[in-house]
Amino acid sequence: MPGHAEVPEARAAARPRRRGRTALLISAAAVIGLVGGTCAGYLVQADRAPTKLPPLSQPTLKQSAGEAPEPLSAARDRRVKTDGDLRKLLLKKPAGAKDAQWLEGLDGWMDLAGYAGTFEGADQIFANLVSDEFRRAAVTGWQSGSSTVEIRLVQFRQEEAVAADDIGDKNLYWGENASTESWPVPGTGDGMAHVHSEPETEVGYMPLYSADAYAWRGDIAMEIWVYDSKPITKKRIMDLAERQMERL
């Protein structure tokens, strides 16, 4: 209050407190302890013997006693069959049937251009087959009475993609109309057989019935076409498809 003398205790309380020596001693001790601990750790590690590292090479494995298994025979090794003459895997012509004269290709083989040319939109099919790594195609066929049969085995390299399994997509008969009946080919996964009960008709010619089958195994796709002036049964196309797949 004005006119009153200052109280010494109040003035002393207003002064800022100086940092005490205790805090400085604690900080210094912490630094000394950290440095000392680090040095002690280095000294302890330096006095220890070096730890032996594990060897980089693995120990030699002992060979089991007995003879090694014999390699697969050509009859059991599928790769031997499929890398050989593909024509030998085709079904044989039935007794009494005549060789087909209309087949594309030469001596049972079809090249890339010849195979692509059997489809509508051959230019696009050709490009697709190049992308699919087409390797080769073998073909056979025969005529018996009013019936004709054609069978193809199409092989792909399949180094970049699996292409044999979608060969049926390139054919226009798959589920083309309501008159088509379809069944899976046993033992082939997604192989299918189709019978078209509605014939193709043209003035001056007998009606033409058709059936077809598609399946694949490994790098080989199978295609079968049957034509006849009489309706074709499920049993007939399925028999051809199953017997041909058994040879693969």
Side-chain angles (χ1 to χ4, degrees):
M1 296 294 293
H4 290 75
E6 289 187 359
V7 180
E9 289 80 4
R11 187 169 56 251
R15 293 174 185 170
R17 247 181 115 181
R18 297 176 59 190
R19 190 174 181 184
R21 296 179 59 193
T22 302
L24 294 176
L25 291 174
I26 292 174
S27 300
V31 173
I32 293 172
L34 179 61
V35 174
T38 302
C39 294
Y42 278 114
L43 291 175
V44 170
Q45 185 65 29
D47 290 338
R48 290 178 178 174
T51 303
K52 186 178 180 180
L53 296 174
L56 296 177
S57 61
Q58 297 296 322
T60 303
L61 299 177
K62 294 183 179 180
Q63 186 173 1
S64 61
E67 298 181 358
E70 295 182 0
L72 292 175
S73 64
R76 297 177 58 193
D77 190 343
R78 182 183 173 276
R79 192 60 182 264
V80 172
K81 293 194 303 181
T82 58
D83 279 350
D85 191 340
L86 199 60
R87 297 171 299 178
K88 293 182 179 180
L89 299 181
L90 290 161
L91 284 178
K92 304 302 180 183
K93 179 185 65 174
K98 299 179 182 179
D99 290 328
Q101 302 298 322
W102 69 90
L103 295 178
E104 298 285 343
L106 179 64
D107 195 24
W109 293 108
M110 298 180 70
D111 60 15
L112 175 58
Y115 178 65
T118 63
F119 296 90
E120 291 186 11
D123 292 345
Q124 184 60 51
I125 293 295
F126 184 94
N128 292 344
L129 289 170
V130 171
S131 300
D132 291 342
E133 299 173 289
F134 173 91
R135 179 180 175 185
R136 56 182 180 168
V139 60
T140 188
W142 57 82
Q143 181 172 355
S144 180
S146 62
S147 172
T148 61
V149 175
E150 181 175 354
I151 303 175
R152 300 176 189 168
L153 297 180
V154 187
Q155 191 170 33
F156 298 85
R157 300 188 185 280
Q158 299 199 148
E159 295 176 357
E160 299 294 334
V162 178
D165 64 339
D166 67 350
I167 194 66
D169 295 340
K170 297 180 177 65
N171 193 280
L172 303 180
Y173 278 128
W174 281 77
E176 188 175 325
N177 51 55
S179 65
T180 298
E181 294 185 85
S182 305
W183 306 271
V185 178
T188 63
D190 54 359
M192 296 293 292
H194 311 274
V195 169
H196 311 284
S197 57
E198 183 177 333
E200 296 180 22
T201 57
E202 187 174 348
V203 177
Y205 293 90
M206 298 182 67
L208 185 63
Y209 294 87
S210 62
D212 47 86
Y214 308 91
W216 67 283
R217 181 163 291 148
D219 56 355
I220 297 178
M222 175 203 74
E223 304 173 329
I224 299 178
W225 290 274
V226 180
Y227 297 94
D228 204 330
S229 59
K230 300 175 293 186
I232 302 168
T233 63
K234 169 188 174 182
K235 180 180 179 181
R236 185 176 173 189
I237 185 64
M238 292 289 281
D239 175 68
L240 287 170
E242 291 181 38
R243 289 194 293 115
Q244 180 59 78
M245 290 304 295
E246 287 173 358
R247 298 178 65 87
L248 302 180

